[in-house]
Amino acid sequence: MTTACEIPTVQVATAERLVTGQFGRLLVMVFGSGLSMYLLTSVVPLYLAANGSGGIGAGLSTGAMMLSAVGVELLVPRMLARWGYQVVLGLGLMLLGAPSLVLLTTASLPAVLAVCVVRGAGLAILVVGAVALVADLTPAARRGEGLGVYGIAVGVPAVIGLPLGVYLTNRIGFDALFILAAFSSLAGLVTLVGLPARVSAEEQHVKVLGGVRRSGLLMPTFVFAAVTVAAGISVTFLPLAVAADKQSLVATALLLQAATAPGARWLAGRYGDRVGPAKLLAPALVLASLGAGSLVLIGTPIAIVMGSTLFGIGFGAAQNLTLTLMYNRVPASRYGQVSALWNLAYDGGWGMGAIIFGAVVAGTGFPLAFGLTAVVVAVAVVPAVRAFP
């Protein structure tokens, strides 16, 4: 019986905490490994060019790393199921970091490509494992926002590493950059303590390509791959397309592209949780296409700067929206599959774009080749609108 003096209590639901201690350690590890990757992304092509292996060699270096990642990504879900997060992520950190030290001893194209292949394997392990772990560690109702926070941890190293690597080549030299890249990855080994040793009880091994069409994962995979084609091309060839005395312009453009992507990735996740990620995907692709197309005017500084900014916004948003869409379409038992597929699209598009662009640009020149890149991204708007109304 309730008296007049008693005030009934109301239970107010509170949002589940997003950034836990485990999630925080994962973010630190992702930051260090991302810095290791991005410090050398544009530097290795410059290193090859400085030693007489530019042009096609630049495309091959990026392509070798990313296509190696594609091959290994098919294996990572099985590795996680067998050995767990700590062992597999530790292996990834070592494969990404240690081979950078080999570049201290040689600049021959075969040796550099071999280093890129091994680093690509490490990258594959880290990105697939980390994204799957994010899905395990974050509440389902805040998954888009959790992926956005993860996107910031991945994106900030690009903000720092892409322009800094190019800038420091003439300040501290290639050797110091190679050592820094190795340390950035290997230091992440200490963060593995406290992360889950095994995958969640719900996680079951599913073949990466199994049931892709029926589960609705095929179209977002291909849509995202179209955007990553342009991403790989811009970071690999922009330093080569601009005159040597204007590398500060390239550093600025890469900085803006890298700086806008994490913020766009987080905002897309935050608002995608409210209105649905499908509604935001086509506008993100339009921005990315406009940004890529602006590089047709490669001789105009403002076009390079504005284009890189627009592309960064569209690319960052597309990363979150496609990944959230894919997670929303599957049960927890297929999180590893989603992570592998999404990263296949990322690295496959990045690598193939760089290889093909390196071959095409020799016959067409940079403006037309950049224009064709924008067309690839623009075409992806059509299935995005039709498949995700």
Side-chain angles (χ1 to χ4, degrees):
M1 181 175 179
T2 303
T3 67
C5 295
E6 292 176 333
I7 300 175
T9 59
V10 178
Q11 297 295 326
V12 179
T14 58
E16 295 183 72
R17 183 180 177 187
L18 185 61
V19 181
T20 61
Q22 288 183 326
F23 193 17
R25 283 189 287 276
L26 175 64
L27 296 177
V28 172
M29 185 207 72
V30 164
F31 178 89
S33 59
L35 186 61
S36 177
M37 173 191 170
Y38 286 113
L39 276 172
L40 300 189
T41 297
S42 295
V43 167
V44 169
L46 288 175
Y47 183 58
L48 287 170
N51 289 277
S53 299
I56 190 65
L60 287 175
S61 66
T62 299
M65 183 172 183
M66 294 308 178
L67 295 183
S68 169
V70 167
V72 175
E73 280 162 357
L74 292 168
L75 307 176
V76 177
R78 185 184 294 272
M79 294 168 65
L80 290 171
R82 182 168 183 177
W83 295 309
Y85 286 116
Q86 288 181 340
V87 172
V88 174
L89 291 175
L91 176 62
L93 290 169
M94 290 187 288
L95 292 178
L96 180 64
S100 303
L101 301 176
V102 176
L103 299 178
L104 297 171
T105 65
T106 180
S108 71
L109 182 58
V112 173
L113 293 180
V115 167
C116 291
V117 167
V118 177
R119 295 189 81 227
L123 176 66
I125 291 171
L126 291 168
V127 293
V128 174
V131 172
L133 187 51
V134 170
D136 268 345
L137 296 179
T138 54
R142 302 185 69 185
R143 182 169 298 135
E145 187 177 0
L147 290 169
V149 173
Y150 167 80
I152 292 175
V154 174
V156 170
V159 176
I160 300 170
L162 283 173
L164 186 63
V166 174
Y167 175 78
L168 290 179
T169 52
N170 295 320
R171 299 296 187 275
I172 64 175
F174 290 110
D175 287 356
L177 281 170
F178 298 149
I179 294 172
L180 181 58
F183 175 80
S184 296
S185 182
L186 296 175
L189 292 169
V190 301
T191 68
L192 297 179
V193 179
L195 290 182
R198 310 297 299 176
V199 298
S200 70
E202 291 185 313
E203 184 79 17
Q204 303 168 10
H205 173 64
V206 178
K207 290 183 178 179
V208 172
L209 301 180
V212 171
R213 190 178 186 87
R214 293 190 303 274
S215 59
L217 300 178
L218 186 62
M219 192 55 66
T221 299
F222 282 119
V223 165
F224 184 53
V227 188
T228 63
V229 164
I233 287 170
S234 65
V235 300
T236 302
F237 288 97
L238 189 58
L240 303 178
V242 177
D245 62 346
K246 294 183 179 179
Q247 288 303 302
S248 60
L249 172 63
V250 175
T252 300
L254 292 175
L255 173 63
L256 289 170
Q257 177 174 315
T260 52
R265 191 168 178 174
W266 175 74
L267 285 172
R270 184 173 178 84
Y271 288 101
D273 283 343
R274 300 176 183 179
V275 304
K279 294 181 179 180
L280 304 179
L281 184 57
L285 295 174
V286 170
L287 288 176
S289 177
L290 291 173
S294 71
L295 294 183
V296 170
L297 304 174
I298 194 63
T300 306
I302 189 64
I304 295 173
V305 171
M306 289 300 297
S308 296
T309 302
L310 286 176
F311 182 80
I313 296 171
F315 180 50
Q319 288 179 50
N320 185 289
L321 297 169
T322 52
L323 185 55
T324 304
L325 271 169
M326 294 169 75
Y327 273 131
N328 288 349
R329 293 182 173 192
V330 300
S333 61
R334 304 185 74 151
Y335 285 170
Q337 180 190 28
V338 166
S339 177
L341 278 173
W342 186 83
N343 282 290
L344 280 171
Y346 195 119
D347 298 333
W350 193 296
M352 288 303 298
I355 291 174
I356 295 172
F357 189 95
V360 170
V361 73
T364 65
F366 282 107
L368 180 56
F370 282 129
L372 293 174
T373 302
V375 171
V376 171
V377 182
V379 168
V381 176
V382 177
V385 171
R386 293 179 62 182
F388 314 130

